[in-house]
Amino acid sequence: MSDGQEKTEEPTAKKQEQAREKGQVARSKELGTLGVLLSAAIALIITAPQFALGLESIMAMQFELDRNAGFDQMVMFQLWPKVGSALLKPMSIFFGIVVLGAFVGNIMLGGFNFSMQAASPKPSKMSPLKGFKRMFGPQAIVELLKGLGKFFVIAICSYFLLKWQFPKIISLSEGIQPVIFADALKLVGFIFVLMVLSLLLIVAIDVPFQSHKHHKQLKMTKQEVKDERKNSEGNPQVKAKMRSMQMSMVMRRMMQDIPQADVVVTNPTHFAVALKYDPNGRDAPRVVAKGRDEVAARIREIADEAEVPLLSNPPLARSIYYTTELGHEIPEGLFMAVAQVLAYVYQLRAFHSGRGKRPKKPSSELPIPEDLQFDEEVG
C-alpha cells in the first residue's frame, strides 16, 4: 500500500520482473499497427508478379467455360481447387510476411513476453461499470485523439498521393495482360507503403508516451522500496532467530568434538581452543572448538571430563582464536609452536601409560610470529 505517498522512487529490478510476470510491459498499439500495415504493403509489392500470374490463370479458366457450364452448379466446386492452387503460393508468402511484421512490430517495444496471468480471464474486465469507466476515462480520450489524428494524417496523405500518382493510374488501362495486373498491384503497394509511413509521426509520439506511462506506473513510494528490501533481505527478527538456531547447532557439534581433541590451549580463563591432529594424515592441526569467556569455560569443563589435556599458554591461545576459523587448519606461522605443544601431549600420554618419564611443559614463550600475536583486549 502506498498510504497516500507519492511514487517518487525508480522501480526496482524485482518490481520490473513482477510486472513482466503479470504481463505489464510497455506496448504501443500504433507501432504494432504500423508493423502489420507496412509488412502488408511490402508483401504486396513482393508478391505482385505472382498474384498477377494467378489472376490471369483464373480469368483464363473463366473465359474458357462454355455456355452450358454457367447452368451447372458443380462447375463452381470444380473450379475452387484450381483457383486455390493458383493463389496458394502468393497468398502464403503474403500472409507469412504480414504475420512476421505483426510479431516484430508488437515486440519492438517491451520485448517478447508471455504471461499466463495476463492471458487468464479476469472477472473485473467483465464488469459493465468498469467497462463504462474505461469507455469515458482518460485513456479512452487519448485513444480517441490518436484515432482522429490517424484519420486526418492518412486522409491528407492519401489525397496528395493519389493526386501525384493519378497519371500512372490512368495509364494502366493501356497495358496488356498479365503485366497490367502486376503493375497495378505494385502501384497499390507503393501508395500503400507511403500512406503507412505517414503513421511514423503518430508512432514517434506514441512510443515515448507509452514508455513514459509504463515507467510512471511502475514507480514506487519510499515505503514500498523499504518493504521490498525488508522482504528480500528477510525479517530481522526471523533472521536473528535463524542465526541463533545456527549458532546453537554449531555449538552442539563443537562440544561433541571436544572429547576427540588432542589438547585444549587456554588463556587460562578468557580463551580456549581445542586442537586435533592426525599424525597419519597430511593435514595440519585444526581447530575443533574455540570460544571465549562462558564458552571457553564450557570447553575446559568438557575437556576435563573427557580427560583431554589442558595447557595454559595465553599468547598461543589468543593467536589461534583470532587467526583460525572453526574446523580450519592453523596458519603455517604457528606450526612450530603447536608442534611443541603436541610433542608435550604425546610425551604426557606415554608417561601416563608407563612408557616414559613426566615431560616438562612447553615454554610460555613459544615461537609465535609478530604478525600473529594479539593483545588481551583485541576483539
Side-chain angles (χ1 to χ4, degrees):
M1 297 297 290
S2 60
D3 297 331
Q5 298 182 30
E6 292 186 7
K7 295 187 175 183
T8 58
E9 306 303 308
E10 293 295 316
T12 61
K14 183 178 180 181
K15 179 68 178 288
Q16 294 177 358
E17 182 62 27
Q18 288 177 341
R20 291 188 68 86
E21 291 175 357
K22 296 177 182 178
Q24 298 175 359
V25 293
R27 288 283 187 253
S28 172
K29 293 181 180 178
E30 310 311 321
L31 185 58
T33 302
L34 177 65
V36 173
L37 296 178
L38 186 59
S39 61
I42 295 173
L44 187 59
I45 295 175
I46 294 174
T47 57
Q50 298 181 23
F51 269 119
L53 292 175
L55 292 174
E56 183 191 20
S57 175
I58 293 171
M59 290 186 67
M61 284 188 293
Q62 293 175 345
F63 283 119
E64 290 174 357
L65 296 174
D66 58 24
R67 180 177 178 279
N68 294 330
F71 300 96
D72 188 355
Q73 297 179 354
M74 298 304 298
V75 171
M76 177 179 63
F77 296 102
Q78 294 172 359
L79 288 177
W80 278 2
K82 297 180 180 180
V83 172
S85 62
L87 297 178
L88 177 61
K89 184 177 179 180
M91 291 292 287
S92 300
I93 297 174
F94 179 85
F95 284 110
I97 295 174
V98 171
V99 170
L100 179 62
F103 177 76
V104 173
N106 280 281
I107 67 170
M108 284 184 68
L109 181 64
F112 178 76
N113 183 62
F114 178 77
S115 171
M116 288 299 298
Q117 294 187 38
S120 60
K122 294 180 176 60
S124 60
K125 291 186 177 180
M126 303 174 63
S127 170
L129 180 60
K130 291 186 177 180
F132 183 79
K133 289 181 179 179
R134 286 195 296 268
M135 288 174 60
F136 297 96
Q139 183 64 28
I141 296 175
V142 172
E143 294 297 327
L144 176 62
L145 293 176
K146 287 196 298 184
L148 292 174
K150 286 190 290 185
F151 173 77
F152 286 113
V153 168
I154 293 177
I156 294 171
C157 290
S158 300
Y159 172 77
F160 286 106
L161 286 172
L162 290 174
K163 184 178 180 180
W164 173 39
Q165 295 294 323
F166 188 73
K168 288 187 178 181
I169 297 173
I170 296 299
S171 66
L172 288 173
S173 60
E174 302 174 359
I176 58 175
Q177 301 293 351
V179 177
I180 186 175
F181 282 145
D183 291 343
L185 290 173
K186 287 181 179 179
L187 183 58
V188 171
F190 176 70
I191 295 175
F192 195 10
V193 168
L194 295 180
M195 288 175 57
V196 172
L197 290 177
S198 66
L199 295 176
L200 284 175
L201 177 62
I202 296 175
V203 171
I205 297 173
D206 187 60
V207 169
F209 172 75
Q210 296 297 337
S211 298
H212 173 73
K213 176 185 172 183
H214 177 69
H215 184 74
K216 186 177 180 180
Q217 289 175 340
L218 292 184
K219 277 197 170 184
M220 308 168 68
T221 64
K222 294 183 184 300
Q223 186 60 42
E224 287 175 335
V225 175
K226 291 180 180 178
D227 292 342
E228 182 180 298
R229 186 179 297 115
K230 180 178 178 181
N231 293 333
S232 62
E233 293 178 354
N235 189 301
Q237 295 179 345
V238 175
K239 291 179 67 177
K241 181 66 174 178
M242 291 180 62
R243 283 196 298 268
S244 176
M245 294 175 63
Q246 291 172 350
M247 286 300 298
S248 298
M249 294 174 63
V250 171
M251 289 292 293
R252 284 197 296 269
R253 287 198 300 268
M254 186 174 71
M255 297 304 174
Q256 291 172 358
D257 291 339
I258 294 174
Q260 283 75 44
D262 292 314
V263 64
V264 173
V265 184
T266 66
N267 195 34
T269 56
H270 296 302
F271 296 91
V273 290
L275 300 176
K276 175 70 176 177
Y277 177 62
D278 181 9
N280 299 321
R282 296 183 178 181
D283 297 333
R286 56 188 181 85
V287 177
V288 296
K290 72 172 189 173
R292 59 187 304 174
D293 299 331
E294 292 85 357
V295 178
R298 181 58 180 160
I299 292 174
R300 293 194 302 271
E301 180 181 345
I302 295 176
D304 189 55
E305 293 174 356
E307 297 184 352
V308 176
L310 297 172
L311 178 66
S312 176
N313 192 294
L316 181 60
R318 289 195 298 267
S319 180
I320 297 175
Y321 179 86
Y322 286 119
T323 62
T324 312
E325 295 294 331
L326 186 65
H328 290 198
E329 298 176 2
I330 62 172
E332 187 176 352
L334 297 178
F335 282 2
M336 290 296 296
V338 172
Q340 294 185 32
V341 171
L342 291 176
Y344 165 73
V345 170
Y346 295 151
Q347 293 173 7
L348 188 63
R349 289 178 182 173
F351 168 72
H352 288 310
S353 62
R355 292 183 287 107
K357 59 181 181 179
R358 179 182 291 274
K360 293 183 179 180
K361 289 186 178 182
S363 172
S364 58
E365 298 182 358
L366 293 172
I368 301 175
E370 188 174 344
D371 60 330
L372 298 180
Q373 297 180 10
F374 295 87
D375 296 331
E376 182 75 31
E377 58 270 8
V378 173

